[in-house]
């Protein structure tokens, strides 16, 4: 009997009920488990259809090459030779692998040394850039000034002390003005777009003290003074290159910051002062309550104070990260700068000492001190909430969920209303001292990049992403 699959005599023969063919059991069972049919007739076949056959065990004869001692020795010699050749080949491969590994380790070590050297050179270059000697830019009288110290001059320090003494005495006792907006007025405000796109890429909106003149600026370096009541541009200010990043009003003078690092001051449409203290983009500006000190921050990790009376740089202080936002305390003795590292750094204005730090999770986008003198509002890039920090506790005391990304935050003069503006709209929150609770008074879907309170908080003016102006009024 021969197996129908292997053609050899089966050790454990079985026969198929379907075809009657003889198979080796292990071979036919493997075939059935894989195909389920008879390998000869292709009929369906299961293991139950196999019949065991009784047969005498057949001893297979030795191959002719293994029938004598000389032939066995020859086979063993061939096996030994093959094993020796394989061992030699493996040793060659081992030597080659060791050489490749040694080369790879050497290249890795060289790469690590190069990376370390480049990192050191990069850090040295950054440190040299951040500590370079800074010269004040051209001013109206053509003078320039080299700045090395961090403390303010005695004259400016005296003005800071006088301003703090004058404002801090009356802050707690100051009543809300009679004609100031209340919750009902805020709730009744309706939005109305009053202009088309004025300055492409604009992120600057600053209202003068009267609330009618809006300072705007675009990414092309051109700024303008827009009359809200007349709905027209009254003056055009030429930044002279680079995009305009921020700006404000210093009395009746317009101040703009540029991506080139320049800070320029205009009076009645004409440039009267220009400073080039930042080695990189100037990101934000702020005005001291005295109206005589201007501050700017930049990506070169420094903030600069300018003496507006002399049109010269007063001091420059370096920090450990790029600065993105700035604000003066309402009493004028503290200066807050938000960093790209998510840290709010609070400095003493006179000495430049870092007196406090507040940690956030993302780059700071906007800062605003409350007129109560103890709270600071901040927003971080990409967040949907406004953080309220208490300067006395040196901690965050509230996180106001706005429900959509926020790009700008502003307290009103009384410190009871907080406006948050963002690409999804404008929200106004009110804090009640009596109940110690926050209430949302206004929510509008008017898109905004930034916003400002109008006169007596009875109106709001916002700047849209397209550079258009929207006004919120009761009518």
């Amino acid at each position: 009997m021969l197996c129908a699959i292997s053609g050899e005599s089966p050790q454990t023969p079985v026969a198929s009920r379907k075809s009657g063919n003889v198979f080796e059991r292990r071979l036919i069972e493997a075939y059935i488990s894989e195909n389920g049919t008879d390998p000869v007739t292709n009929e369906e076949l299961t293991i139950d259809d196999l019949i065991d056959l009784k047969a005498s065990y057949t001893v297979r004869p030795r191959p002719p090459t293994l029938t004598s001692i000389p032939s066995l020795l020859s086979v063993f010699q061939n096996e030994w030779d093959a094993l020796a050749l394989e061992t030699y080949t493996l040793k060659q491969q081992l030597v080659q692998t060791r050489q490749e590994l040694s080369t790879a380790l050497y290249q890795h070590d060289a790469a690590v040394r190069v990376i370390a050297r480049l990192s050191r050179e990069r850090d040295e270059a950054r440190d040299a850039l951040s500590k370079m000697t800074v010269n004040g830019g051209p001013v109206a009288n053509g003078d320039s000034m080299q700045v090395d110290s961090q403390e303010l001059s005695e004259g400016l320090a005296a003005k800071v002390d006088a301003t703090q003494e004058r404002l801090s005495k009356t802050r707690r006792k100051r009543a809300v003005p009679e004609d100031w907006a209340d919750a009902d007025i805020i709730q009744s405000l309706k939005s109305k777009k009053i202009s088309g796109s004025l300055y492409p890429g604009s992120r600057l909106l600053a209202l003068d003290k009267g609330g009618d003149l809006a300072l705007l600026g675009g990414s092309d370096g051109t700024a303008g003074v827009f009359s809200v009541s007349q709905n027209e541009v009254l003056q055009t200010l030429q930044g002279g290159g680079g995009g305009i990043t921020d700006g404000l009003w210093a009395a009746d003078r317009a101040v703009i910051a540029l991506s080139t690092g320049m800070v320029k001051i205009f009076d009645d449409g004409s440039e009267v002062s220009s400073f080039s203290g930042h080695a990189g983009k100037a990101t934000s500006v702020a005005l001291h309550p005295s109206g005589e000190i201007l501050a700017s921050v930049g990506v070169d990790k420094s903030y600069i104070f300018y003496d507006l009376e002399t049109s010269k740089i007063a001091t420059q202080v370096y920090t450990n990260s790029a600065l993105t936002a700035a604000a003066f305390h309402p009493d004028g003795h503290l200066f807050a700068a938000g960093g790209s590292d998510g840290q709010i750094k609070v400095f003493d204005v006179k000495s430049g000492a870092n007196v406090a730090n507040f940690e956030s999770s993302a780059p700071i986008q906007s800062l605003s001190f409350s007129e109560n003198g103890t709270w600071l509002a901040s927003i971080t890039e990409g967040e949907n909430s406004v953080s309220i920090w208490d300067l006395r506790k040196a901690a965050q005391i509230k996180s106001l969920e706005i429900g959509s990304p926020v790009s700008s935050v502003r307290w009103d003069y009384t410190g009871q209303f907080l406006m948050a503006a963002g690409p999804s709209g404008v929200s106004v929150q009110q804090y009640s001292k009596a109940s110690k609770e926050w209430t949302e008074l206004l929510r509008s879907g008017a898109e905004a990049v930034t916003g400002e309170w109008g006169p007596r908080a009875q109106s709001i003016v916002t700047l849209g992403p397209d550079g258009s102006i929207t006004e919120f009024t009761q009518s």
Side-chain angles (χ1 to χ4, degrees):
M1 293 185 295
L2 298 177
C3 174
I5 296 177
S6 65
E8 297 180 358
S9 177
Q11 299 295 316
T12 308
V14 293
S16 169
R17 295 179 186 272
K18 300 292 181 71
S19 65
N21 289 296
V22 177
F23 303 97
E24 173 70 52
R25 172 174 284 280
R26 63 181 178 81
L27 297 179
I28 187 62
E29 285 182 352
Y31 188 90
I32 290 174
S33 64
E34 182 177 351
N35 300 286
T37 60
D38 189 296
V40 178
T41 62
N42 290 327
E43 296 181 82
E44 289 188 7
L45 186 66
T46 65
I47 295 178
D48 294 335
D49 294 328
L50 300 178
I51 303 173
D52 291 323
L53 298 179
K54 295 182 178 180
S56 59
Y57 180 74
T58 302
V59 179
R60 296 183 179 180
R62 259 182 207 172
T65 56
L66 303 178
T67 55
S68 64
I69 292 178
S71 62
L72 287 173
L73 291 176
S74 177
V75 170
F76 292 155
Q77 181 65 47
N78 292 337
E79 290 293 331
W80 172 258
D81 292 343
L83 180 61
L85 181 61
E86 182 179 1
T87 303
Y88 176 73
T89 304
L90 290 175
K91 286 183 177 180
Q92 281 187 320
Q93 293 176 349
L94 176 60
V95 172
Q96 183 180 358
T97 303
R98 283 178 174 174
Q99 291 177 343
E100 293 176 353
L101 178 60
S102 177
T103 302
L105 290 175
Y106 173 77
Q107 292 175 344
H108 176 268
D109 185 58
V112 169
R113 289 198 300 270
V114 171
I115 292 172
R117 178 174 57 82
L118 292 176
S119 298
R120 184 174 64 256
E121 292 177 355
R122 180 202 62 189
D123 294 340
E124 290 174 353
R126 285 180 174 176
D127 185 63
L129 178 63
S130 65
K131 295 182 179 179
M132 64 184 294
T133 301
V134 180
N135 292 323
V139 294
N141 57 9
D143 292 336
S144 61
M145 178 178 179
Q146 201 173 58
V147 179
D148 295 313
S149 65
Q150 292 186 347
E151 294 186 359
L152 289 180
S153 64
E154 292 183 2
L156 288 179
K159 293 180 181 179
V160 171
D161 288 336
T163 301
Q164 179 186 5
E165 183 179 2
R166 173 172 53 86
L167 295 177
S168 60
K169 283 183 178 180
T170 59
R171 186 168 307 285
R172 293 293 182 182
K173 301 177 181 180
R174 188 176 63 196
V176 177
E178 294 183 0
D179 57 349
W180 205 260
D182 55 18
D184 293 336
I185 293 178
I186 299 296
Q187 290 176 327
S188 67
L189 297 180
K190 304 297 181 183
S191 64
K192 178 183 179 182
K193 184 177 290 189
I194 61 174
S195 78
S197 178
L198 298 174
Y199 296 93
S202 176
R203 301 189 64 83
L204 162 62
L205 171 65
L207 292 181
D208 70 341
K209 189 175 182 179
D212 180 57
L213 299 181
L215 178 61
L216 309 170
S219 57
D220 60 351
T222 302
V225 178
F226 177 81
S227 172
V228 176
S229 61
Q230 300 177 36
N231 191 15
E232 64 175 336
V233 176
L234 303 181
Q235 295 176 350
T236 298
L237 313 177
Q238 296 299 330
I244 296 177
T245 57
D246 198 14
L248 54 80
W249 288 96
D252 56 353
R253 292 182 291 178
V255 180
I256 60 172
L258 298 165
S259 60
T260 58
M262 301 287 291
V263 175
K264 296 190 175 186
I265 302 176
F266 296 82
D267 189 359
D268 196 23
S270 300
E271 181 180 326
V272 295
S273 297
S274 179
F275 305 94
S276 57
H278 288 290
K281 181 168 70 173
T283 55
S284 182
V285 289
L287 185 66
H288 190 266
S290 67
E292 299 183 30
I293 301 175
L294 175 70
S296 68
V297 298
V299 297
D300 62 351
K301 306 180 183 180
S302 75
Y303 70 82
I304 302 177
F305 288 162
Y306 308 90
D307 185 344
L308 294 182
E309 183 177 354
T310 62
S311 293
K312 293 182 179 180
I313 295 178
T315 187
Q316 184 165 16
V317 178
Y318 289 91
T319 67
N320 59 358
S321 67
L323 302 180
T324 55
F328 276 104
H329 186 275
D331 288 342
H333 65 298
L334 297 177
F335 175 72
S340 60
D341 58 353
Q343 191 178 72
I344 303 173
K345 308 167 186 14
V346 182
F347 299 91
D348 181 271
V349 171
K350 294 189 298 179
S351 67
N354 186 195
V355 296
N357 291 315
F358 303 115
E359 301 290 342
S360 295
S361 59
I364 305 299
Q365 198 165 357
S366 180
L367 295 172
S368 181
F369 277 103
S370 170
E371 283 291 326
N372 65 14
T374 58
W375 287 359
L376 171 65
S378 70
I379 58 173
T380 55
E381 189 174 314
E383 294 293 328
N384 297 345
S385 61
V386 177
S387 299
I388 308 297
W389 308 87
D390 192 316
L391 299 180
R392 298 166 300 181
K393 300 178 181 178
Q396 180 178 340
I397 59 171
K398 183 67 176 180
S399 178
L400 293 174
E401 287 296 331
I402 305 302
S404 59
V406 184
S407 57
S408 174
V409 62
R410 295 288 186 274
W411 290 97
D412 79 316
Y413 172 72
T414 64
Q416 59 179 326
F417 302 127
L418 180 67
M419 174 183 59
S424 298
V426 177
S427 172
V428 176
Q429 307 277 338
Q430 181 186 28
Y431 177 74
S432 171
K433 291 183 179 180
S435 63
K436 296 184 179 180
E437 293 182 352
W438 289 87
T439 306
E440 185 175 60
L441 300 179
L442 175 68
R443 177 174 290 272
S444 170
E447 298 179 330
V449 174
T450 184
E452 293 284 346
W453 289 100
R456 303 181 304 282
Q458 299 200 15
S459 65
I460 296 174
V461 179
T462 63
L463 174 67
D466 59 350
S468 61
I469 301 296
T470 300
E471 186 179 22
F472 290 76
T473 60
Q474 290 181 275
S475 55

